[in-house]
């Protein structure tokens, strides 16, 4: 199994290390050819405006939308903004929604996995706020300050925080299980 990490800009390196530490092969995705080789994809955090610009510049915007209809996706932080902009998830987001005071906060979250509820350490870095979830098929797995911060629609998982910075790997492990089942 190959998990791809979109590697045009942002925190792709930390995701790669996480995936490899869990014994799964990782491919850094910068081209359409690489996109075709992966069985699942991670959209990392970074700057959604820069990523949008680079995806369009490299003619990857449409191919990425198409591929994300076929394979599991984990989007983190700016990646969640991309999912909204690409029409992959019907949600409303506010960029940098928590304002400056939450630029680098670490907060414990209570996360509902399928059969368990676990505490997860979440790093929020100029995170977007998910202000509305407009699709009944989207499950909300965790809230922070009354807003959804981890959501899932089938095999699309979206976190407004940075699970790749956490010492343990609950979100990545859950994603790998999603891919396998
Ligand atoms: N503030 C960034 C944006 O709007 C997201 C921050 C992040 O990914 N850590 O794109």
């Amino acid at each position: 199994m190959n998990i791809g990490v979109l590697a045009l800009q942002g925190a792709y390196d930390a995701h790669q290390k996480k995936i490899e530490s869990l014994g799964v092969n990782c491919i850094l995705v910068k081209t359409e050819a690489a996109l075709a080789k992966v069985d699942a994809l991670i959209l990392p955090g970074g700057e959604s405006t820069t990523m949008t610009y680079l995806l369009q510049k490299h003619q990857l915007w449409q191919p990425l939308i198409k591929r994300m209809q076929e394979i599991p996706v984990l989007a983190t932080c700016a990646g969640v903004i991309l999912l909204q902009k690409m029409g992959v998830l019907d949600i409303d987001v506010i960029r940098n929604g928590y304002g400056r005071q939450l630029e680098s906060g670490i907060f414990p979250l209570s996360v509902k996995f399928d059969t368990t509820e676990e505490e997860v350490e979440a790093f929020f870095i100029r995170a977007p706020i998910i202000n509305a979830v407009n699709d009944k098929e989207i499950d909300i797995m965790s809230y922070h300050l009354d807003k959804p911060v981890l959501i899932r629609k089938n095999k699309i998982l979206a976190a407004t925080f940075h699970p790749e910075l956490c010492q343990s790997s609950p979100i990545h492990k859950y994603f790998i299980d999603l891919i396998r089942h």
Side-chain angles (χ1 to χ4, degrees):
M1 174 167 80
N2 294 313
I3 298 184
V5 184
L6 184 67
L8 297 178
Q9 188 267 336
Y12 53 86
D13 189 52
H15 279 288
Q16 179 181 26
K17 290 197 175 94
K18 267 279 179 242
I19 291 162
E20 287 172 350
S21 78
L22 295 169
V24 176
N25 196 46
C26 180
I27 293 180
L28 293 179
V29 173
K30 297 178 195 226
T31 62
E32 208 174 328
L35 196 55
K37 281 191 208 147
V38 300
D39 305 298
L41 184 69
I42 295 180
L43 302 182
E47 276 304 320
S48 53
T49 45
T50 310
M51 282 194 247
T52 300
Y53 168 77
L54 291 172
L55 283 167
Q56 286 170 344
K57 184 174 172 211
H58 296 287
Q59 272 111 46
L60 278 171
W61 186 262
Q62 285 304 333
L64 189 58
I65 293 176
K66 186 166 175 286
R67 191 75 181 120
M68 289 195 296
Q69 286 157 6
E70 302 161 347
I71 56 172
V73 177
L74 166 62
T76 62
C77 205
V80 181
I81 300 172
L82 286 183
L83 286 188
Q84 188 270 337
K85 284 173 90 171
M86 294 173 137
V88 175
L89 284 183
D90 188 359
I91 53 175
D92 297 344
V93 295
I94 306 172
R95 280 189 68 207
N96 305 324
Y98 294 98
R100 296 181 68 92
Q101 78 277 17
L102 278 184
E103 277 177 8
S104 307
I106 306 173
F107 301 92
L109 296 180
S110 173
V111 175
K112 274 196 194 132
F113 292 106
D114 299 336
T115 53
T116 56
E117 186 146 353
E118 279 177 43
E119 190 170 289
V120 169
E121 192 181 42
F123 291 67
F124 288 87
I125 306 171
R126 293 187 306 114
I129 283 184
I130 298 176
N131 208 32
V133 170
N134 307 315
D135 178 345
K136 288 198 175 67
E137 282 179 40
I138 295 177
D139 280 340
I140 299 174
M141 296 173 62
S142 187
Y143 288 89
H144 176 62
L145 302 176
D146 293 328
K147 298 290 184 191
V149 291
L150 179 63
I151 60 176
R152 177 172 81 92
K153 181 179 181 181
N154 301 321
K155 298 210 174 203
I156 298 187
L157 191 61
T160 60
F161 54 96
H162 282 262
E164 76 284 6
L165 298 179
C166 181
Q167 277 214 323
S168 58
S169 313
I171 307 296
H172 288 79
K173 282 183 185 160
Y174 181 75
F175 182 55
I176 291 170
D177 281 350
L178 268 186
I179 302 167
R180 290 194 168 132
H181 291 107

